[in-house]
Amino acid sequence: IDTVTARDDYTLVVTTKNPDRFTPAKFAAVKMIEPKAFAAMGPEAYARAPIGTGPYKVDRWDLSEIRMSENPHGWRKPIVPNLRIVALPEVGARVKALQSDTVDVALQLGPDDIGQVEAAGDRMMSNYLGGIVAMPFMLVRENMFKDVRVRRAVNYAVNRQAIVDVLLAGRTKLASQTTAHTAIGYVEELAPYPYDPAKAKALLKQAGYPNGFTFTVDVYVTGANADAAVYQQVANDLAQIGITMKINVMAFPRYNEALYQGNWTGEMILFSYGTLPSMDPMATYQYHSCSWVKPWVCDPELQAMIEEAQTTFDLERRTALVQQLLRKTHEEPIGLYLHETNRFDGVSARVEDYRAPFGFPQYREMSVSP
């Protein structure tokens, strides 16, 4: 965005530095603030004590708890007049809180918790988050992944279907490209790389690695969605074709530092491909390209395709360019594409009309029976 001006009380004029067909959709991510309170308090104080301009107003806001009540001035009225959000960092604590009726919704549980939740008479809701879980290759450094045959071999070597069926309870889709099936421009005919260890071994031999090799992947662990188990399963599958994958688990602050400073330790990293808030496959290429401050992939041919797609305003032409890019990064993968991102939320049997599209609970729609 270059400039933003108010034409009048009801018109905002936004000028972008380059043509961007999805600018209006991106404004779905903009949160409204209360202007008088913001002007009086300033940014820092307002951030510590926000007002709430939607269905709920904020009564309490701290690190452990948020309490809200119905906003009498809101234009979307909630069904439940009061809302309490409690911080419970441990997954097990959230499950127990749900089972004891201490909470009505437990966010971000894991597939291993399905049995406990459903045995108690509650239900586990799975929501697509508009992206895919992937392990991008470090392609700005000289390493084995500079050879596209090696990148293909890694994609053939991993049994994605087993990961989804066994570790994720079959509640998500395999990734076939650098975007999710909900995105605008998703290429239906692209199939995930099939599990084919023999083909993977043949490609490694062609690339000069008949006995495999050793490399490191930088990851972080959230504790939900079986992520640690997924990484281990990837390592086990790669071991079957002679590749040793060392898993370097980073604390999130260290991971975030590497993201912005580029001081990764490995030849592969963990980083998803996302589309929110506009459902645009190009949203993720702010990171997966030369455009990022410390890129892990920077290919001139790929960059030209990315920039052309991002700045084409005609939607039909833009979609065609996006699909061309998706096909290219499928044929010449820039990462190990695993599965679509999803989230497991435990919901009490007392709660009705629970929806959390792309991970955003619609609190105002929920009702709770006695």
Side-chain angles (χ1 to χ4, degrees), residues 292-305:
W292 186 238
V293 59
K294 291 293 181 180
W296 44 86
V297 54
C298 185
D299 176 82
E301 181 184 358
L302 201 61
Q303 188 68 17
M305 296 175 68

Side-chain angles (χ1 to χ4, degrees), residues 67-87:
R67 287 181 181 265
M68 293 181 273
S69 56
E70 182 178 344
N71 182 1
H73 306 293
W75 58 273
R76 295 182 298 177
K77 300 296 183 182
I79 298 172
V80 176
N82 299 297
L83 178 65
R84 179 172 174 252
I85 301 175
V86 183

Side-chain angles (χ1 to χ4, degrees), residues 125-143:
M125 308 290 287
S126 181
N127 304 289
Y128 286 109
L129 302 182
I132 73 164
V133 174
M135 293 179 171
F137 303 113
M138 187 64 62
L139 298 178
V140 294
R141 302 176 187 167
E142 286 300 323
N143 58 54

